[in-house]
Amino acid sequence: ALASFEQALSLWRRQNNIAGQADVLNATGLALMSLGETARAGDRYRQALALWEQAGRGVGQGYTRNNLGMLHFAGRHYDAAASEYARAMELLTAAGDNRGIAYVRHNQGDLAAARGDTAAAIQAYEDSLARKRSVDDKYGAALTLTRLAQAQLTAGGAE
């Protein structure tokens, strides 16, 4: 997969397609993160951000900042994760990207839960769920429902 991403990146570079390069770098960051290669993932995300900014693509920046927030969250750098999620929310809200906002809200719920703020987690998950349903994202809704149920159990609501 990483070799294919590198081939795609090379093709986008030859075409001087900045957004294409940013998209591949962002996707490569996700792949590297799933492989536990956090330093390399962070490097790809930062490269993608610079290109999204150069291309003037706020939505792309928002998705990449969300992913960078997930990377910080995985490393338990909660303040850095919160900062990235907040910036992602600003960018995605400005662009009106409800699906992207839904995923950031889900991640903010995870962050609140990790910090022990169950009420804020539930609120974030409920907002995420409503947004995912509004864009007919059944897979995303199922993920968020699972986290919402876990938060509700933590809060003492077994029903």
Side-chain angles (χ1 to χ4, degrees):
L2 294 175
S4 294
F5 281 135
E6 287 303 317
Q7 288 176 19
L9 182 60
S10 178
L11 290 171
W12 287 126
R13 284 181 174 150
R14 277 190 241 142
Q15 295 176 42
N16 198 30
N17 185 316
I18 295 169
Q21 293 173 57
D23 190 45
V24 168
L25 287 164
N26 184 56
T28 305
L30 283 168
L32 289 166
M33 201 165 76
S34 73
L35 295 170
E37 296 191 35
T38 57
R40 288 179 63 198
D43 180 58
R44 296 309 185 280
Y45 289 144
R46 284 183 281 283
Q47 289 177 44
L49 278 175
L51 291 171
W52 286 128
E53 288 173 21
Q54 186 179 344
R57 301 275 179 95
V59 170
Q61 290 177 57
Y63 278 88
T64 299
R65 288 207 175 272
N66 182 54
N67 294 343
L68 194 52
M70 290 189 307
L71 183 66
H72 289 305
F73 177 79
R76 297 182 185 213
H77 303 286
Y78 295 157
D79 290 342
S83 177
E84 291 297 344
Y85 294 150
R87 185 67 182 120
M89 281 295 290
E90 291 172 12
L91 291 159
L92 294 166
T93 299
D97 189 313
N98 211 30
R99 184 178 186 279
I101 294 167
Y103 279 86
V104 175
R105 291 296 288 147
H106 177 105
N107 292 335
Q108 288 174 323
D110 288 348
L111 180 59
R115 287 180 158 172
D117 189 346
T118 306
I122 289 170
Q123 183 179 18
Y125 292 140
E126 287 176 343
D127 182 41
S128 174
L129 180 60
R131 290 173 186 277
K132 286 176 178 176
R133 285 178 170 160
S134 78
V135 296
D136 199 32
D137 181 352
K138 291 175 180 61
Y139 176 81
L143 292 174
T144 300
L145 276 167
T146 301
R147 290 288 184 25
L148 176 60
Q150 292 166 340
Q152 289 168 332
L153 281 170
T154 299
E159 297 160 6

